[in-house]
Amino acid sequence: MSLCETRRINVMTNDSQLSASKPGTAKKIVIKNFEKPKLPVEYLPKTWDKLQEAVVAIQTSKNISTPLEELYKAVENLCSHKAAAQLYDYLQSLCEKHVKYNVNQFINSDTDSLMFLKLLDNCWQAHCRQMIMIRSIFLFLDRTYVLQNAAILSIWDMGLEMFRNYIISNPQVQSRAVDGLLQLVEKERAGESVDRCLLKSLLRMLSDLQIYKEVFEGKFLQATEELYAAEGQRLMQDQEVPAYLSHVDKRLNEEWERLMHYLDQSTKRPLIQCVEKQLISEHLCNILQKGLDQLLDENRTTELSLMYNLLSKVKEGLPELCSYFNQYIKKRGKVIVTNPEKDKTMVQELLDFKDQLDVVVMQCFQKNEKFVNSLKEAFEYFINQRPNKPAELIAKFVDSKLRAGNKEATEEELERLLDKIMVLFRFIHGKDVFEAFYKKDLAKRLLVGKSASVDAEKSMLSKLKQECGAGFTSKLEGMFKDMELSKELMLAFKQYLNNTMPHGKIDMSVNILTMGYWPTYQTWEVNLPQEMVEYQDVFKKFYLGKHSGRKLQWQPNLGHCLLKANFTSGQKELLVSLFQTLVLLMFNDADEVSFEDIKQSTTIEDNELRRTLQSLACGKARVILKTPKGRDVNNGDKFVFNSEFKNQLFRIKINQIQMKETQEEQTNTQERVFQDRQYQIDAAIVRIMKTRKSLTHNLLLTELYDQLKFPVKPTDLKKRIESLIERDYLERDKDNTNQYHYVA
Ligand SMILES: *[C@@H]1O[C@H](CO)[C@@H](O)[C@H](O)[C@H]1NC(C)=O
Ligand SMILES: *[C@@H]1O[C@H](CO)[C@@H](O)[C@H](O)[C@H]1NC(C)=O
Ligand SMILES: *[C@@H]1O[C@H](CO)[C@@H](O)[C@H](O)[C@H]1NC(C)=O
Ligand SMILES: *[C@@H]1O[C@H](CO)[C@@H](O)[C@H](O)[C@H]1NC(C)=O
């Protein structure tokens, strides 16, 4: 890069130094004419000869023989004696003659283009230098005569006009000059280094002569447009989008440099707009179609930032980017959500996907609010493309994190994770599915004592409350309350036991669960050993003594026990479910029992019993042995106590069946949600019709969609309406089948 000095011209003359710069226009001032003595007749021609000699000396780069002071005085004298107009005319014709003569060197010259430009520049520089010196001699003329006559050009402007009229307006000179300048720019754009000072000087000349716009800018912009139109087409085909973008960036920077170094500032807007149009606007869709998905897939934040910056320069750039961004999220998100084979990893993938896009929006898209909102909209859209399942999986994901033994190291990490999950949760339509599964898992965590942290549980609860209101969490809070009350109750019960059964062999804890707060559990009737039944009775008496009139319903399927077992290798403690306990206790009295014996004795439901036996005889810790061997438990199978059982641990947890969700449980939970939704739809229909009395089908549907907080199809609503008509809550209008009336 070459720097141009601003040329200050210092001219040494015989007796004084003139530090001259190009003069501007001065204010008009009025000079009063004083009476002067008359001059001798020969004074004028003599004086004019001296002045002419000086001007010619300046024009031919010779020394001026008369002292400048004297020349200056002479001009002043002539002006004072009304010879100003004449003097001005003389001077003008002198300059005209010189400039006219000067053009000859350019006509029919066979110099190459660059030499031609240099020649022209020299001529221009000399002209300026000369006019400055001339003006300094004729300063008085400029300050009096010129100022008093609006129609007269200042000496400097007169010089410019001469140059414009006789040199640059010459068609041959002009076209060679402009073509030469354009060629230089073209060369520079092609990567060659060119003489920027020459460009700058000549373009300044055109500006000073006020013909920059007229003779240069139009052609320059046209050349620019043609170059970049072709280049854009070609590179868009040949290059990958990231390479293309960095090329566009480079091109724009180069043009800014051109503006800084030699182009006139008035060219800034049209030039930059032209480049942006040809390289960006014209290829907007192509850039986005070809490039955006890949950049997002590969998390190439640098290129994404560049894309945002470049597209922000053109009119439709950001709206289009935002729209493609939105489509990308929906496309990729849908794949994560709708493929059942990816259910196991869905929530983690959603969290990762959201994290990545957040970084993109924050870092690359400058936190642009339109993009922030578009990101939300896209998530909400795709996550609900598959009804219910994401809500269920989010609930289960939370469970896995809130359960003891999860991998999140610190409370803060867990807290941050829960916050992120809440963001996903917010997008879900049909939060009732989430609630049902969340509640089921929470119940297990509380009852089996497997919660990682009470603080985390409470924190999650308060987040849900904040998000969905107190109504959403009141039952969940009730569950926590039950657990706390039960704890207090147990203290009192222990004391009570100490008095009533001081020699009891069992240590029993009971949790009192308020119906309605907790998930609905199937009630099982099983045969408990006499010892346990006794304890149940004692507890019942104790509890009803405190709360008479309440009804206690035992839930044996939620119970778990700690058993002591003697093996050949020594004593162990087995942490098992109540059902497993009932099975194991049978081996206290018998060496070998059959499936049928166990079933009859315990009365555990068939499938449940098979599962229970499987966990004891076919799992990792086989404390009983099955004949014949095999994974499945069949009728006629026989079981014996495995006295040779070995394990490194003293306390062994045998496959906590309760923590694992069975398919049946999953289906039940889902069905309960759907059942509940039907009630809610029915209730909403009746509520609306009761106030409105009569509504068309479509209006009723509109109001229903306003009220219902879960996704539902019009055909399902239609079914509920039919059902209510059958049950005489509504009736169809006799003349218009699309109109319903409320039946009081
Ligand atoms: C012009 O003046 C300079 C210094 O005043 C002198 O050195 C030089 O010889 C002169 N040139 C001519 C051609 O008289
Ligand atoms: C994407 O890149 C950004 C910064 O370049 C980084 O902070 C972030 O972790 C990356 N995300 C993924 C998913 O790689
Ligand atoms: C049980 O009763 C005995 C004697 O009455 C007493 O020493 C013991 O502290 C009591 N235990 C509890 C848990 O109350
Ligand atoms: C089990 O073993 C312990 C200690 O080894 C012993 O005290 C206890 O009596 C044994 N119980 C039975 C039922 O054999």
Side-chain angles (χ1 to χ4, degrees):
M1 192 173 76
S2 61
L3 277 175
C4 302
E5 294 168 46
T6 322
R7 293 179 192 193
R8 288 209 132 223
I9 306 157
N10 293 316
V11 188
M12 290 299 296
T13 58
N14 286 350
D15 55 358
S16 73
Q17 182 186 349
L18 288 174
S19 174
S21 59
K22 290 173 189 175
T25 29
K27 276 186 192 160
K28 297 248 169 194
I29 46 168
V30 180
I31 308 277
K32 291 217 168 110
N33 290 324
F34 295 100
E35 277 297 315
K36 290 265 173 160
K38 284 230 179 272
L39 293 171
V41 194
E42 72 278 17
Y43 183 78
L44 189 61
K46 256 192 175 164
T47 311
W48 175 240
D49 278 350
K50 276 188 196 158
L51 287 171
Q52 185 183 25
E53 189 192 286
V55 169
V56 170
I58 289 171
Q59 287 171 340
T60 51
S61 306
K62 301 251 165 57
N63 285 348
I64 307 171
S65 52
T66 319
L68 281 184
E69 190 65 19
E70 195 185 323
L71 294 171
Y72 185 85
K73 264 266 157 12
V75 171
E76 194 177 335
N77 276 338
L78 290 176
C79 288
S80 311
H81 290 89
K82 299 194 165 44
Q86 211 180 345
L87 186 60
Y88 187 89
D89 287 346
Y90 273 138
L91 180 60
Q92 187 169 15
S93 64
L94 212 51
C95 290
E96 188 172 357
K97 197 172 142 207
H98 178 68
V99 174
K100 261 180 166 171
Y101 169 77
N102 255 340
V103 77
N104 292 327
Q105 63 185 309
F106 303 113
I107 308 296
N108 300 325
S109 86
D110 54 1
T111 53
D112 71 14
S113 172
L114 186 61
M115 275 315 295
F116 178 86
L117 292 180
K118 284 185 173 160
L119 210 59
L120 182 60
D121 187 43
N122 287 340
C123 176
W124 164 248
Q125 298 292 348
H127 173 82
C128 291
R129 232 171 14 241
Q130 291 159 13
M131 287 314 294
I132 287 166
M133 285 177 69
I134 290 170
R135 181 182 180 267
S136 72
I137 293 170
F138 289 81
L139 196 61
F140 194 82
L141 186 64
D142 228 10
R143 293 214 174 134
T144 54
Y145 174 71
V146 170
L147 279 191
Q148 287 155 13
N149 292 280
I152 305 290
L153 293 177
S154 72
I155 295 171
W156 176 257
D157 286 341
M158 181 262 285
L160 290 184
E161 192 175 66
M162 296 295 159
F163 199 90
R164 180 168 52 232
N165 286 348
Y166 296 114
I167 299 195
I168 208 67
S169 292
N170 177 296
Q172 212 181 334
V173 176
Q174 191 177 99
S175 73
R176 279 205 83 181
V178 172
D179 291 350
L181 288 168
L182 291 174
Q183 268 173 29
L184 274 192
V185 176
E186 192 182 324
K187 275 188 182 168
E188 193 185 41
R189 279 174 171 162
E192 284 181 44
S193 76
V194 299
D195 184 350
R196 282 181 163 177
C197 292
L198 181 62
L199 272 164
K200 181 181 174 146
S201 174
L202 288 172
L203 289 173
R204 270 297 292 277
M205 173 190 80
L206 296 181
S207 296
D208 287 349
L209 297 174
Q210 295 179 336
I211 53 170
Y212 174 88
K213 213 174 188 65
E214 177 194 332
V215 309
F216 177 76
E217 191 180 69
K219 284 186 175 169
F220 169 73
L221 289 174
Q222 196 188 342
T224 305
E225 183 176 313
E226 280 164 14
L227 172 74
Y228 289 131
E231 184 171 289
Q233 293 285 353
R234 181 165 48 77
L235 294 186
M236 214 38 234
Q237 289 214 327
D238 296 353
Q239 291 191 337
E240 293 288 314
V241 170
Y244 181 79
L245 291 176
S246 63
H247 180 80
V248 174
D249 192 42
K250 183 173 136 255
R251 279 306 201 189
L252 278 169
N253 287 333
E254 285 171 6
E255 294 304 335
W256 279 106
E257 281 221 329
R258 246 153 238 143
L259 282 164
M260 207 166 71
H261 284 103
Y262 55 80
L263 291 170
D264 191 86
Q265 289 311 298
S266 63
T267 306
K268 189 193 305 181
R269 261 177 73 91
L271 170 62
I272 297 300
Q273 270 177 3
C274 171
V275 180
E276 287 170 351
K277 177 168 186 294
Q278 294 307 327
L279 293 184
I280 305 173
S281 297
E282 290 289 322
H283 306 284
L284 193 55
C285 286
N286 237 338
I287 291 172
L288 289 166
Q289 255 165 25
K290 251 176 78 175
L292 182 64
D293 286 13
Q294 189 198 0
L295 293 185
L296 288 169
D297 280 345
E298 295 171 10
N299 191 36
R300 289 164 69 172
T301 45
T302 316
E303 282 96 343
L304 285 166
S305 301
L306 180 60
M307 181 182 270
Y308 181 91
N309 285 336
L310 290 178
L311 297 198
S312 72
K313 295 174 189 298
V314 303
K315 192 157 155 271
E316 284 307 309
L318 291 188
E320 284 292 322
L321 175 59
C322 191
S323 150
Y324 275 85
F325 180 58
N326 184 283
Q327 287 165 34
Y328 169 85
I329 301 171
K330 286 177 179 168
K331 210 161 44 191
R332 292 288 185 276
K334 203 170 160 189
V335 174
I336 301 177
V337 165
T338 51
N339 181 358
E341 284 179 7
K342 293 177 86 176
D343 281 357
K344 274 207 175 82
T345 53
M346 181 202 292
V347 179
Q348 190 58 54
E349 278 188 49
L350 287 177
L351 290 172
D352 294 345
F353 190 45
K354 182 77 180 17
D355 273 352
Q356 190 217 336
L357 295 175
D358 281 343
V359 170
V360 169
V361 171
M362 292 299 130
Q363 279 185 14
C364 312
F365 299 165
Q366 297 176 10
K367 306 191 176 78
N368 185 321
E369 204 169 328
K370 292 221 168 64
F371 287 73
V372 173
N373 291 334
S374 185
L375 171 63
K376 284 188 192 153
E377 189 272 331
F379 257 80
E380 181 167 342
Y381 172 83
F382 80 68
I383 221 169
N384 289 297
Q385 284 296 93
R386 184 165 170 210
N388 307 320
K389 199 67 187 181
E392 175 188 328
L393 293 176
I394 290 172
K396 287 177 180 167
F397 187 82
V398 177
D399 174 57
S400 73
K401 298 299 172 187
L402 289 179
R403 237 192 254 171
N406 90 78
K407 284 186 232 90
E408 256 61 44
T410 64
E411 293 263 328
E412 291 90 74
E413 276 175 329
L414 184 56
E415 187 65 21
R416 263 207 303 281
L417 184 68
L418 293 181
D419 280 334
K420 285 181 178 174
I421 292 170
M422 286 309 295
V423 173
L424 293 185
F425 173 74
R426 214 162 283 154
F427 296 132
I428 297 279
H429 300 157
K431 300 190 163 54
D432 48 354
V433 174
F434 174 90
E435 190 208 359
F437 282 94
Y438 187 77
K439 188 158 115 174
K440 175 178 70 71
D441 292 334
L442 173 63
K444 283 183 182 177
R445 292 197 298 278
L446 294 177
L447 293 176
V448 186
K450 283 293 170 224
S451 181
S453 130
V454 178
D455 288 346
E457 294 280 3
K458 293 258 163 91
S459 157
M460 185 65 195
L461 205 58
S462 80
K463 287 183 210 303
L464 288 171
K465 192 170 181 172
Q466 211 170 27
E467 189 64 35
C468 305
F472 190 80
T473 48
S474 64
K475 290 178 180 173
L476 303 176
E477 282 169 22
M479 292 162 72
F480 280 98
K481 191 138 220 175
D482 277 352
M483 294 308 286
E484 278 158 23
L485 289 177
S486 297
K487 226 187 240 166
E488 286 169 22
L489 191 69
M490 274 309 104
L491 288 178
F493 179 57
K494 289 277 148 67
Q495 212 124 51
Y496 179 82
L497 262 185
N498 207 10
N499 299 331
T500 47
M501 294 176 72
H503 304 298
K505 281 193 280 180
I506 305 181
D507 186 15
M508 181 171 83
S509 279
V510 179
N511 288 317
I512 301 288
L513 316 181
T514 310
M515 250 229 263
Y517 289 170
W518 296 73
T520 319
Y521 296 110
Q522 208 174 335
T523 34
W524 309 73
E525 289 295 337
V526 293
N527 266 345
L528 292 181
Q530 192 49 39
E531 269 179 318
M532 287 193 192
V533 175
E534 270 173 39
Y535 269 85
Q536 277 189 338
D537 288 343
V538 174
F539 180 80
K540 205 165 166 181
K541 224 164 128 196
F542 160 77
Y543 185 75
L544 295 181
K546 282 177 167 288
H547 307 281
S548 67
R550 288 201 185 162
K551 207 177 147 224
L552 280 180
Q553 168 77 60
W554 296 92
Q555 295 280 172
N557 50 319
L558 299 180
H560 56 103
C561 308
L562 186 63
L563 299 181
K564 290 190 169 124
N566 282 358
F567 298 100
T568 317
S569 61
Q571 197 177 42
K572 301 269 181 203
E573 284 183 357
L574 304 179
L575 191 57
V576 288
S577 72
L578 180 60
F579 290 162
Q580 287 171 322
T581 304
L582 297 186
V583 171
L584 289 176
L585 287 180
M586 287 190 72
F587 294 94
N588 276 342
D589 306 320
D591 291 334
E592 185 187 79
V593 284
S594 68
F595 175 74
E596 286 74 13
D597 290 340
I598 301 173
K599 187 172 170 183
Q600 195 190 10
S601 168
T602 61
T603 67
I604 298 172
E605 188 268 339
D606 190 275
N607 275 329
E608 190 63 32
L609 178 59
R610 283 176 208 269
R611 266 201 293 277
T612 305
L613 284 166
Q614 238 171 358
S615 71
L616 294 170
C618 313
K620 275 198 200 120
R622 301 182 180 183
V623 290
I624 57 176
L625 298 174
K626 178 175 94 81
T627 37
K629 291 191 186 324
R631 297 223 112 252
D632 295 323
V633 172
N634 297 309
N635 295 345
D637 283 357
K638 301 263 197 303
F639 299 88
V640 293
F641 181 66
N642 179 13
S643 55
E644 299 305 316
F645 175 77
K646 285 198 179 67
N647 199 300
Q648 286 171 328
L649 300 172
F650 175 65
R651 179 179 287 188
I652 300 146
K653 189 170 69 180
I654 301 184
N655 192 18
Q656 282 305 137
I657 281 190
Q658 299 110 309
M659 285 312 286
K660 261 210 171 156
E661 182 191 54
T662 60
Q663 183 57 42
E664 203 180 332
E665 244 184 304
Q666 199 267 351
T667 318
N668 285 342
T669 310
Q670 219 168 42
E671 273 172 7
R672 264 197 306 279
V673 174
F674 296 153
Q675 189 62 50
D676 193 47
R677 281 183 181 177
Q678 301 214 326
Y679 296 142
Q680 287 192 47
I681 296 170
D682 288 1
I685 295 173
V686 171
R687 208 164 46 232
I688 292 166
M689 291 306 293
K690 195 170 174 180
T691 40
R692 313 284 254 139
K693 301 301 178 218
S694 173
L695 272 182
T696 64
H697 180 76
N698 285 344
L699 283 177
L700 175 56
L701 254 52
T702 310
E703 295 214 8
L704 278 172
Y705 277 117
D706 276 350
Q707 293 202 3
L708 298 172
K709 295 202 176 69
F710 45 83
V712 54
K713 290 204 257 340
T715 50
D716 295 335
L717 292 179
K718 194 149 191 271
K719 275 189 207 142
R720 298 320 302 162
I721 295 170
E722 302 290 345
S723 154
L724 286 168
I725 290 173
E726 269 169 35
R727 286 179 280 156
D728 288 334
Y729 284 97
L730 313 178
E731 65 183 8
R732 235 183 254 286
D733 190 277
K734 286 180 191 65
D735 304 320
N736 181 358
T737 52
N738 264 329
Q739 181 95 20
Y740 308 118
H741 301 292
Y742 179 66
V743 178

